Amino acid sequence: MPAVLFRSGNDNPVAWREALTKRIPGLDLRVYPDIGNPEEIDFALVWKAPRGTFNGMTNLKAICSLGQGVDHIFDDPDLPDGPQIVRIVDPWMARAMAEWVLLQVLRFHRQGPAYEQAQKDRRWIKLDAEETSTRRIGIMGMGALGAEAARVISALGFDVAGWSRSRKDIPGVRSFAGTEEMDAFLGRTDILCCLLPLTPETTDLIDAGMLGKLPSGAFVVNSGRGAQLVEEDLLAALDSGHIAGAALDVFRVEPLPETHPFWTHPRVQVWPHVSAQTNADSAADQIAENIRRLRAGQDLLNTVGRGRGY
Ligand code: NAP
Ligand code: GLV
């Protein structure tokens, strides 16, 4: 009887056991480190599993990310070649992410940081309010998360554009595609929101060169992955005044070290990687379905191409 491995320092194994055994009664779910004979594992459910986790799992056929991102799986130099890689694609998470990105867009649009400072200083100030239709939002990454964020923000009347590898057709959202259209995308972006997956192409993408192509006074919102942002370049752009503020949910090192300058920077808001957290209740259906499909020899849902990396 094959078994499922669960290994995550982030997700609650009790909630996952309950959610999965409700859908597959009798499921043999083995929570690391109590995995028994590794040769019995055919499906692994992981988040940031350390190098070597899959050693000895000679019958492993699928590795599923406990999140929408899979960079933590491809990061393992010992990743076995055979198993298919699958991920969660959960409308619940897309809605949560859209809420978070909208929250940041509205905070910057309505001059939240200036009013927050004024309150600290006990100053009663009134600043000009800009129209939503003239505030240009640019979303990098127009996949399951970015496309939903674009739809939600566009519905409020903002001028929204998306940037992705391939062209998109979302009503009311202008599509820019590929590196050749990136400069045009950046040049019309007042609030840049990153929802890209981490791959070799997107690592260090948001650097001084890219930030310099945004209009002066632009804002940066990152909830993709920390390694997409060159942190020193953002700090320099904030200090020069070219970038007016940033809201960051992901960092190169997580948890963000206590001494990191982002914690105390007056124009940076730090969030502890919570913009779209995995929810066992909403994601368990698709994972249970994939376990069933694997064992029935059927095609899996939400597969990730190893070549593409996302
Ligand atoms: P997805 O559905 O795979 O979409 C990825 C998007 O990025 C696609 O539109 C893709 O373009 C685009 N893209 C990838 N590489 C690109 C490149 N080199 N140049 C231009 N565009 C590129 O991914 P998703 O489900 O939306 O998730 C995106 C990422 O969000 C995850 O990988 C993860 O890092 C992050 N995330 C963060 C949190 C959080 O709590 N902070 C939660 C969940 C996910 P095409 O459409 O043309 O392929
Ligand atoms: C969270 O960061 C995810 O990838 O789901």
Side-chain angles (χ1 to χ4, degrees), residues 47 67-69 93 225 273:
W47 180 255
Q68 298 221 166
M93 287 176 78
R225 282 289 183 263
H273 200 145

Coordinates of all heavy atoms in Angstrom, one line a residue, residues 47 67-69 93 225 273, ligand 2:
W47 N 7.0 21.7 1.5 CA 7.3 23.1 1.4 C 8.7 23.3 2.0 O 9.0 22.9 3.1 CB 6.3 23.9 2.3 CG 6.6 25.4 2.2 CD1 7.2 26.1 3.2 CD2 6.4 26.3 1.1 NE1 7.3 27.4 2.8 CE2 6.8 27.5 1.5 CE3 5.8 26.1 -0.2 CZ2 6.8 28.7 0.6 CZ3 5.8 27.2 -1.0 CH2 6.2 28.4 -0.6
G67 N 2.5 25.1 -1.9 CA 2.2 26.5 -2.2 C 2.0 26.6 -3.7 O 2.1 25.6 -4.4
Q68 N 1.8 27.8 -4.2 CA 1.7 27.9 -5.7 C 3.0 28.0 -6.3 O 3.2 27.6 -7.5 CB 0.8 29.2 -6.0 CG -0.6 29.1 -5.5 CD -1.7 29.6 -6.4 OE1 -2.8 29.3 -6.1 NE2 -1.3 30.3 -7.4
G69 N 4.1 28.4 -5.6 CA 5.4 28.5 -6.1 C 6.1 27.2 -6.0 O 5.8 26.4 -5.0
M93 N -6.5 31.2 -2.9 CA -5.2 32.0 -2.7 C -5.2 33.1 -3.7 O -4.6 34.2 -3.4 CB -4.1 31.0 -3.0 CG -3.8 30.1 -1.8 SD -2.5 28.9 -2.2 CE -1.0 29.9 -1.9
R225 N 8.8 36.7 -5.1 CA 9.8 36.0 -4.2 C 10.9 37.1 -4.0 O 11.2 37.9 -4.8 CB 10.5 34.9 -5.0 CG 9.6 33.6 -5.0 CD 9.6 32.9 -3.6 NE 8.8 31.7 -3.6 CZ 7.5 31.6 -3.3 NH1 6.8 32.6 -2.9 NH2 6.9 30.4 -3.4
H273 N 5.5 37.4 4.7 CA 5.2 36.3 3.7 C 3.8 35.7 4.0 O 3.7 34.5 4.3 CB 6.2 35.2 3.7 CG 6.2 34.4 2.4 ND1 7.3 33.9 1.8 CD2 5.2 34.0 1.6 CE1 7.0 33.2 0.7 NE2 5.6 33.3 0.6
Ligands
GLV2 C1 3.7 31.0 -1.2 O1 4.7 31.8 -1.2 C2 3.4 30.2 -2.3 O2 4.2 30.0 -3.2 O3 2.3 29.6 -2.3

